[in-house]
């Protein structure tokens, strides 16, 4: 049973698990060597839940946008310390929201931005840009314009070889000193050490992050935690009771179906067709 993509299942591990018969999980499976599973007779079941994003992650993304733009952590901490109002926040209405990666979660976040009266821009692959355009959103004229013109940029990309470090130090340097970068996807979408350096140099002026290069973060001295212009949460984008109920229901339904001899959501059906599944 897997619920996180960071658990890699490759041939060397499969060789050490001679009684493994089923891998049951939800969503994408780039962390699983499906061909090796087929070779070893292991069924992989994964509900791809087409058309249904992680609304929990989309909602947290928007919570982070509001928290950072209105300085909510600072205001709450000041009030608890006996101080009335510190700093001045920013209104979202009329500003430009940039959605980098217009997929299931990105499209939900774009809808939130539209509901708040923001101008929504999109960037990403050609397919991502086309989906955004067909939904009526503005596609940035270039990546450079996307980073230089948006007031809030939210990352919604999967971490694969092509997207690792796709947000460079140069991209961040183009952002406005009043802009906010939000990352609830994967930390390594951003070039190593680039975000901390960019925040220290003042472009962008703020960040809100739920993901980190190494997790869990247990060192209170982590540079992002020490910055007043950064809102940090401990990778809780998907962590809600509702999301857990949804994910575990899918995972257990697949296990029950397999046990009944009628496996569902099978990624490698050839393992069943040739009768090579482990018994």
């Amino acid at each position: 049973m897997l619920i996180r993509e960071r658990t890699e299942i490759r041939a060397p591990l499969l060789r050490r698990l001679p009684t493994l018969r089923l891998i049951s999980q939800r969503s994408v499976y780039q962390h699983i060597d499906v061909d090796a599973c087929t070779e070893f007779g292991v069924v992989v079941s994964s509900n791809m839940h087409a058309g249904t994003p992680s609304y929990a992650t989309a909602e947290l993304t928007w919570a982070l946008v509001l928290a950072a733009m209105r300085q909510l952590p600072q205001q709450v901490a000041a009030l608890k310390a006996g101080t009335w109002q510190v700093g001045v926040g920013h209104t979202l209405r009329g500003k430009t929201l940039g959605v980098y990666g217009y997929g299931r979660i990105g499209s939900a976040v774009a809808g939130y931005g539209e509901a708040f009266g923001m101008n929504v821009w999109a960037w990403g692959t050609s397919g991502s840009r086309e989906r955004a355009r067909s939904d009526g959103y503005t596609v940035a004229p270039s990546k450079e314009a996307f980073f230089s013109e948006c007031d809030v940029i939210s990352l919604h990309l999967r971490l694969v070889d092509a997207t690792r470090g796709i947000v460079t130090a140069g991209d961040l340097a183009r952002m406005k000193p009043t802009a906010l970068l939000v990352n609830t996807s994967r930390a390594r979408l951003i070039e190593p050490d680039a975000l901390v350096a960019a925040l220290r140099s003042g472009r962008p002026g703020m960040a809100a992050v739920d993901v980190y290069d190494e997790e869990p973060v247990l060192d209170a001295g982590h540079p992002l935690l020490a910055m007043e212009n950064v809102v940090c949460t401990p990778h809780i984008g998907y962590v809600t009771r509702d999301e857990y109920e949804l994910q575990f229901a899918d995972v257990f339904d697949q296990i029950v179906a397999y046990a009944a001899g009628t496996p569902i959501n099978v990624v490698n059906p050839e393992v069943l067709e040739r009768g090579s599944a482990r018994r």
Side-chain angles (χ1 to χ4, degrees), residues 8-27:
E8 293 197 355
I9 307 292
R10 310 295 183 196
L13 177 59
L14 292 168
R15 291 191 188 96
R16 296 166 54 197
L17 301 172
T19 61
L20 178 64
R21 292 180 289 171
L22 171 70
I23 297 174
S24 183
Q25 65 142 55
R26 190 173 192 266
S27 199

Side-chain angles (χ1 to χ4, degrees), residues 173-194:
R174 290 187 179 92
M175 294 183 70
K176 301 175 184 179
T178 54
L180 166 68
L181 180 78
V182 184
N183 190 2
T184 56
S185 294
R186 293 291 183 270
R188 293 181 184 179
L189 294 171
I190 303 174
E191 186 180 320
D193 303 320

Side-chain angles (χ1 to χ4, degrees), residues 38 69 86 95 130:
T38 302
M69 294 295 278
V86 291
K95 291 186 171 59
E130 186 53 41

Side-chain angles (χ1 to χ4, degrees), residues 24-167:
S24 183
Q25 65 142 55
R26 190 173 192 266
S27 199
V28 295
Y29 44 85
Q30 66 262 23
H31 52 298
I32 301 174
D33 186 335
V34 176
D35 290 339
C37 287
T38 302
E39 178 186 346
F40 285 96
V42 177
V43 175
V44 179
S45 286
S46 186
N47 186 341
M48 296 304 293
H49 55 97
T52 58
S54 169
Y55 287 110
T57 302
E59 289 175 3
L60 179 77
T61 300
W62 204 249
L64 289 175
V65 171
L66 290 169
M69 294 295 278
R70 295 301 297 271
Q71 302 179 352
L72 296 186
Q74 297 92 326
Q75 298 287 2
V76 170
L79 187 59
K80 289 183 176 181
T83 300
W84 185 255
Q85 295 185 6
V86 291
V88 179
H90 299 273
T91 302
L92 293 175
R93 190 172 190 84
K95 291 186 171 59
T96 300
L97 167 67
V99 176
Y100 197 160
Y102 190 84
R104 290 183 290 198
I105 296 176
S107 62
V109 171
Y112 300 157
E114 186 176 30
F116 272 71
M118 299 186 75
N119 305 309
V120 179
W121 280 23
W123 190 252
T125 63
S126 57
S128 178
R129 299 197 300 270
E130 186 53 41
R131 286 192 298 273
R133 186 180 287 110
S134 67
D135 283 348
Y137 295 115
T138 300
V139 172
S142 66
K143 186 183 182 186
E144 292 77 13
F146 179 80
F147 276 92
S148 63
E149 297 299 323
C150 290
D151 298 292
V152 178
I153 290 178
S154 190
L155 307 182
H156 298 288
L157 300 161
R158 295 197 184 282
L159 182 62
V160 295
D161 289 343
T163 61
R164 192 178 301 274
I166 197 169
V167 178

